[in-house]
Amino acid sequence: MLDQLAEALGYALISVRRFLKQIGYFRSYTQNGKWYTLRDSPDFDRDGLWHYKGIGFSRHGSLTATIDYLVGRSPAGLSSTDLSQKLQHPCHAVLTQLHKARRLDRLRLSGQFRYLAADPQLNRRQREQAAFASPSSPTTSLNTQTALWVLVEYIKDPQLSFEQIATRLREQRQVAVAPESIQRFFQEQDLKKTPAAPS
C-alpha cells in the first residue's frame, strides 16, 4: 500500500506516486484499489487477471473497466455468478450500478440475469448467441427439484393460483420461478389445475 511504501522509502506520498508512475504499476481492483504492484510483477491469465494472496489485479484497470471488458468479449454475455468466479470477487452490486447507468444491458435466462454489452451490434449478437446456447424453453421448463416443490405446494393446497405457488416457493424455499413457468409445467404434464377460489 502507498503508506507502507512511503514509510519504507522515507518519502512523502506524493513522491511515491510519482515514482510509481515513472516505473509503471497496477492497482488492485479489489479492496478499493488500495494495493499496488509493479507493472512487471503480474502473470496475467487469458482474461487479463492476476491474483496474489486474495488481492485481484487486472490488466484492464478498475473493477468496472474489467467487467466491461469481460462482458464485451463474451459471445453470449456473462451472469453475475460467471463474473464472480472469474474475478474471485463479488460483483452483483457493481453490475446493478452498471446496468442502471446503461453501461451494460441484461437479459433474464434460466432464472438469472445475463449481462450484455451496451453496444447495439454486439448486444444483438450476444442476445442471439445466448438464446441459441440456452436450454430449450428456459422460461417454461422446470428442473427436477423445482418441479418437485411445485407439486408439493399444489398437493398441500390445490386452490393456490400459479402466482401464489411461485410466491410460496420464493418465500419459504428461496426458489425463484415465474408463474408462467409453473403454468407451462402443468400444461406439459397434462395436470388439471383447480381454479383459484375468488377472493
Side-chain angles (χ1 to χ4, degrees), residues 2-77:
L2 279 181
D3 55 350
Q4 295 173 324
L5 276 172
E7 182 178 352
L9 295 172
Y11 280 88
L13 287 175
I14 190 170
S15 298
V16 173
R17 288 193 179 96
R18 187 172 68 249
F19 297 153
L20 284 171
K21 187 175 181 179
Q22 292 171 351
I23 297 170
Y25 68 91
F26 287 99
R27 250 178 111 171
S28 66
Y29 66 79
T30 61
Q31 298 158 323
N32 296 318
K34 293 189 300 185
W35 294 91
Y36 291 72
T37 186
L38 296 181
R39 181 166 291 276
D40 294 336
S41 297
D43 181 17
F44 291 116
D45 62 18
R46 65 179 183 177
D47 289 320
L49 305 177
W50 179 63
H51 297 90
Y52 178 76
K53 295 186 176 180
I55 305 168
F57 295 89
S58 169
R59 190 193 301 277
H60 317 290
S62 67
L63 179 59
T64 55
T66 302
I67 290 173
D68 274 336
Y69 170 80
L70 293 174
V71 169
R73 73 188 293 267
S74 173

Side-chain angles (χ1 to χ4, degrees), residues 121-132:
Q121 291 186 349
L122 179 54
N123 183 283
R124 184 172 61 253
R125 291 197 299 269
Q126 288 180 326
R127 283 178 174 270
E128 291 172 354
Q129 186 65 30
F132 178 76

Side-chain angles (χ1 to χ4, degrees), residues 121-163:
Q121 291 186 349
L122 179 54
N123 183 283
R124 184 172 61 253
R125 291 197 299 269
Q126 288 180 326
R127 283 178 174 270
E128 291 172 354
Q129 186 65 30
F132 178 76
S134 63
S136 59
S137 303
T139 58
T140 58
S141 298
L142 304 183
N143 63 43
T144 303
Q145 185 64 66
T146 301
L148 177 62
W149 291 132
V150 166
L151 291 174
V152 167
E153 294 300 330
Y154 173 65
I155 292 169
K156 285 164 56 177
D157 190 351
Q159 296 295 325
L160 290 177
S161 67
F162 298 125
E163 290 78 8

